[in-house]
């Protein structure tokens, strides 16, 4: 572990295609999330505190595919999921199949800190939320219905059928929403953490679990390497154990930026012929940050010691 004493946070609001009308509020939100997380770090908070507060803020905005902004599955229902990992202890908490938890990432933390388990979903998870008095909030489903209907229309119109969902996404990227949220942080004690939260891939099958709550795939943190949060097609991140792969690259000496670029290049090399847009943010234990994507946009922001304000952008390093 390297103790730089200089905290840093990187947050993302998902890989995808951002349209001008939505992009300004989204950029403001990721900035605010980075600032909120960084303020925690500056006040001596842990990396876990920082990523939880940053992700919870993004879950509450409704502007992203997470928390109250979650996309609908094929049955027109929300099934939210989230995870968090503490790089100091390698403890992790993950949850999924949630319908009305206001902040799934806070439930992931409860699972990490108050249970002996890593991954608790569905009714059992909702019961834990009740025991620990987590707030409930129905996602803003009416707002999502219009989008859902447009997605469904595209799906059933013309040549497309359900198993060809990836081709559909390629043909109609504008109606798909891949705006998962995540954060990675390094605190002043040299500890790293990562958290990710999502409504999941739009029109996913009921019961589908993606990469975001899957430790190693969408989220990973280890003080021996760094922390990573992934966004994009969950099934790809799962197959390549992508967040852990980024951490392995960092453990083997790559800086965060080199590591995320190498991982996106790996996706492009190994997963071709299907829709494979992905985005990654990372922080290494020396305080280096990384962001790269193969999607047209990655909505992201970062803040490090010495900065007055977070820096936000819709583009990082694009590798296609
Ligand atoms: N990775 C998420 C999933 O497949 C989607 C996203 O990143 O937006 O559930």
């Amino acid at each position: 572990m390297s103790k730089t004493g200089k905290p840093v946070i990187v947050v993302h609001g998902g890989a995808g295609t951002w349209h001008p009308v939505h992009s300004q509020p989204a950029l403001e939100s990721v900035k605010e999330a980075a600032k909120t997380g960084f303020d925690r770090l500056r006040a001596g908070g842990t990396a876990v505190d920082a990523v939880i507060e940053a992700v919870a803020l993004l879950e509450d905005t409704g502007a992203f595919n997470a928390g109250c902004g979650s996309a609908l599955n094929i049955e027109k229902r929300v099934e939210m999921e989230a995870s968090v990992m503490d790089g100091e202890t390698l403890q992790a908490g993950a949850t999924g199949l949630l319908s009305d938890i206001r902040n799934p990432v806070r439930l992931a933390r409860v699972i990490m800190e108050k249970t002996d388990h890593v991954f608790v979903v569905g009714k059992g998870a909702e019961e834990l939320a009740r025991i620990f008095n987590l707030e409930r909030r129905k996602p803003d489903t009416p707002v999502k219905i219009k989008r859902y209907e447009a997605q469904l229309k595209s799906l059933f119109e013309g040549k497309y059928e359900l198993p060809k969902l990836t081709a559909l996404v390629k043909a109609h990227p504008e109606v798909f929403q891949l705006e998962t949220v995540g954060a990675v942080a390094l605190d002043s004690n040299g500890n790293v953490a990562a958290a990710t939260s999502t409504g999941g891939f739009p029109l996913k099958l009921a019961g589908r679990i993606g990469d975001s709550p899957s430790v190693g795939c969408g989220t990973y943190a280890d003080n021996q390497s760094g922390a990573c949060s992934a966004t994009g097609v969950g099934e790809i991140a799962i197959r390549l154990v992508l967040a852990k792969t980024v951490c392995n690259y960092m453990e083997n000496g790559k800086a965060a930026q080199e590591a995320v670029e190498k991982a996106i290049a790996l996706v492009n090399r190994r997963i071709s012929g299907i829709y494979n847009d992905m985005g990654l943010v990372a922080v290494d234990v020396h305080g280096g940050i990384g962001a790269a994507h193969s999607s047209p946009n990655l909505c992201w922001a970062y803040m490090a010691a010495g900065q007055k304000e977070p820096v936000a952008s819709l583009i990082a390093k694009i590798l296609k």
Side-chain angles (χ1 to χ4, degrees), residues 9-12 50-52 54-55 181-185 193-196 219 227-229 281:
I9 185 162
V10 188
V11 310
H12 73 79
V51 295
I52 292 285
V55 168
V181 304
V184 292
T196 312
T219 305
C228 177
S229 172
V281 299

Side-chain angles (χ1 to χ4, degrees), residues 30-303:
V30 286
K31 263 177 138 170
E32 199 186 334
K35 178 116 176 44
T36 299
F38 192 78
D39 285 347
R40 284 288 169 132
L41 296 171
R42 196 160 33 200
T46 65
V48 170
D49 292 334
V51 295
I52 292 285
E53 292 314 316
V55 168
L57 185 147
L58 293 170
E59 289 175 336
D60 281 342
T61 64
F64 302 95
N65 176 12
C68 70
S70 291
L72 303 179
N73 69 9
I74 195 79
E75 295 180 353
K76 220 176 189 170
R77 288 187 292 111
V78 159
E79 287 184 338
M80 297 174 280
E81 48 194 39
S83 65
V84 60
M85 185 159 183
D86 179 345
E88 183 186 11
T89 59
L90 296 186
Q91 286 200 86
T95 186
L97 307 182
L98 307 174
S99 60
D100 70 348
I101 302 300
R102 174 174 168 184
N103 294 114
V105 76
R106 294 198 194 283
L107 181 52
R109 185 176 196 168
V110 163
I111 291 163
M112 174 169 82
E113 293 177 348
K114 307 283 189 204
T115 80
D116 297 310
H117 307 305
V118 168
F119 208 160
V120 183
V121 304
K123 264 176 80 172
E126 306 242 3
E127 185 58 13
L128 276 174
R130 190 189 64 75
I131 293 169
F132 288 96
N133 293 318
L134 294 193
E135 282 181 53
R136 305 275 164 155
R137 174 176 178 176
K138 285 256 177 250
D140 297 331
T141 303
V143 181
K144 297 290 160 196
I145 293 218
K146 248 175 105 181
R147 196 170 217 174
Y148 168 87
E149 279 162 359
Q151 289 162 344
L152 211 57
K153 188 161 170 277
S154 309
L155 189 65
F156 290 116
E157 217 171 49
K159 312 169 201 78
Y160 307 111
E161 17 167 352
L162 199 57
K164 304 290 182 198
L165 192 57
T166 50
L168 174 77
V169 176
K170 207 169 196 169
H172 299 281
E174 73 285 358
V175 295
F176 283 87
Q177 185 202 31
L178 289 181
E179 297 115 15
T180 288
V181 304
V184 292
L186 170 72
D187 65 29
S188 41
N189 288 319
N191 298 316
V192 291
T196 312
S197 179
T198 190
F201 207 91
L203 302 187
K204 65 185 178 180
L205 292 179
R208 177 265 195 186
I209 301 274
D211 61 315
S212 307
S214 302
V215 172
C217 307
T219 305
Y220 202 75
D222 180 353
N223 275 13
Q224 292 192 7
S225 51
C228 177
S229 172
T231 170
V233 185
E235 283 68 13
I236 293 176
I238 290 172
R239 282 188 271 159
L240 291 175
V241 199
L242 206 56
K244 171 72 167 131
T245 296
V246 170
C247 288
N248 288 348
Y249 293 153
M250 294 191 286
E251 189 167 359
N252 291 332
K254 297 273 180 229
Q257 185 60 37
E258 290 177 285
V260 291
E261 289 183 22
K262 193 171 155 115
I264 295 288
L266 173 74
V267 172
N268 292 342
R269 198 168 65 247
R270 297 301 309 274
I271 314 280
S272 55
I274 60 164
Y275 178 76
N276 67 353
D277 281 2
M278 298 300 302
L280 293 166
V281 299
V283 62
D284 61 49
V285 286
H286 310 292
I289 65 164
H293 51 112
S294 53
S295 49
N297 298 117
L298 177 71
C299 182
W300 72 295
Y302 66 93
M303 188 158 183

